[in-house]
Amino acid sequence: MTDENTHFGFQSVPLGEKQGKVNEVFRSVASRYDLMNDLMSAGLHRLWKEALVSTLRPPRDRPFRHLDVAGGTGDVAFRILDESGPQTRMTVLDINGEMLKVGAERAGHRYEGRIDFVEANAEELPLKSKTYDAYTIAFGIRNVPRIDAALREAHRVLKPGGRFLCLEFSKVDVPVLDKIYDAYSFNVIPKIGGMVTGDAESYQYLVESIRRFPPPAAFARMIEEAGFKRVTHRTLTAGVVAIHSGWKI
């Protein structure tokens, strides 16, 4: 793979083409995205997201500005708002307008004055430096063509003392279970996607993209290289997912 190429699932594609291909995947599945998450994970994604919010521990008694990236449907953002105080202000940012429409419709008037939806690229955030107290990205970083650029942008927009948290698929670390997980991922998930959304190919990509994502220790090094300190990670559900943490100090 050259500097001009990157991976799109198991394919090698020109770097400049990946974002468009990823956008098409999520445009195709936006309206059924959360339903598919329930079906694919047997509801476990809800527990993983709750673990992410518990790790964040948003305050209830002071102003708090939060940025949730690749969070178009609002699933993580709503959880944070529900767990935080009335002075929390949320920005949901996603490169895909269809996903943001789903999130805005779901939000309705429930969080009026506390939430904004922004269509933008994680690699080039149209946001001021040192603005946010925390940044989350759940199941989105592996779809970014230039992960290092997105991590640098996360560091830039956080205030000193701000926290970066990433929930992402990882590597199953239990013998035998890893084989079962692979068989389920490649043989079952695309079929479910085809039945529910009419688009098995997009879910084939999503499964492949999980396998191409760096293992936890390697991704932790990338977070450190972006400038974060006290970088840690912990795996959940036998390593199916990991929560990565870093601080801007």
Side-chain angles (χ1 to χ4, degrees):
M1 186 179 296
T2 68
D3 290 342
E4 290 75 31
N5 288 326
T6 188
H7 56 80
F8 178 74
F10 290 162
Q11 302 175 48
S12 177
V13 299
L15 187 59
E17 291 183 11
K18 179 173 179 174
Q19 191 64 69
K21 289 179 175 290
V22 170
N23 290 352
E24 186 53 41
V25 167
F26 286 96
R27 187 176 299 111
S28 172
V29 303
S31 64
R32 300 289 184 92
Y33 184 70
D34 289 321
L35 171 61
M36 275 299 300
N37 284 342
D38 276 329
L39 294 174
M40 289 189 302
S41 70
L44 283 172
H45 79 103
R46 297 175 181 273
L47 298 178
W48 298 332
K49 290 169 182 173
E50 287 169 8
L52 178 70
V53 177
S54 295
T55 302
L56 175 66
R57 289 183 295 182
R60 293 179 176 270
D61 57 354
R62 61 179 173 84
F64 187 75
R65 293 199 66 181
H66 188 91
L67 175 62
D68 185 46
V69 175
T73 64
D75 213 25
V76 170
F78 302 157
R79 283 176 165 81
I80 293 170
L81 287 169
D82 289 341
E83 288 298 316
S84 62
Q87 297 181 79
T88 293
R89 296 295 178 266
M90 173 69 63
T91 299
V92 179
L93 186 142
D94 202 297
I95 199 169
N96 194 293
E98 294 302 314
M99 298 286 277
L100 290 167
K101 285 179 185 177
V102 172
E105 288 170 3
R106 288 181 62 196
H109 299 291
R110 191 165 32 141
Y111 305 107
E112 199 145 11
R114 299 180 65 201
I115 190 168
D116 295 306
F117 293 87
V118 177
E119 185 173 347
N121 191 331
E123 298 175 4
E124 298 179 83
L125 299 174
L127 307 169
K128 293 181 180 179
S129 300
K130 302 178 183 178
T131 300
Y132 292 92
D133 296 289
Y135 172 122
T136 50
I137 182 166
F139 304 121
I141 196 77
R142 75 182 190 280
N143 298 309
V144 176
R146 301 174 181 85
I147 293 174
D148 55 346
L151 292 172
R152 287 194 299 270
E153 280 290 90
H155 189 272
R156 179 183 66 80
V157 300
L158 282 170
K159 299 174 182 177
R163 191 175 194 184
F164 167 85
L165 284 171
C166 174
L167 172 64
E168 190 52 87
F169 287 104
S170 189
K171 308 291 184 184
V172 173
D173 54 13
V174 176
V176 181
L177 181 59
D178 58 348
K179 301 294 190 296
I180 296 171
Y181 179 60
D182 274 351
Y184 171 74
S185 298
F186 286 101
N187 298 317
V188 178
I189 288 178
K191 290 179 181 176
I192 296 175
M195 289 187 289
V196 175
T197 70
D199 185 358
E201 188 175 337
S202 288
Y203 283 93
Q204 182 70 31
Y205 157 72
L206 290 173
V207 169
E208 293 175 1
S209 71
I210 293 168
R211 300 307 184 276
R212 294 301 301 262
F213 191 69
F219 184 53
R221 287 193 294 273
M222 295 177 70
I223 297 171
E224 290 173 342
E225 288 167 2
F228 289 100
K229 307 298 182 184
R230 293 166 55 193
V231 175
T232 60
H233 67 270
R234 65 186 176 103
T235 57
L236 306 173
T237 317
V240 173
V241 300
I243 295 177
H244 297 265
S245 171
W247 297 83
K248 182 175 179 177
I249 297 175

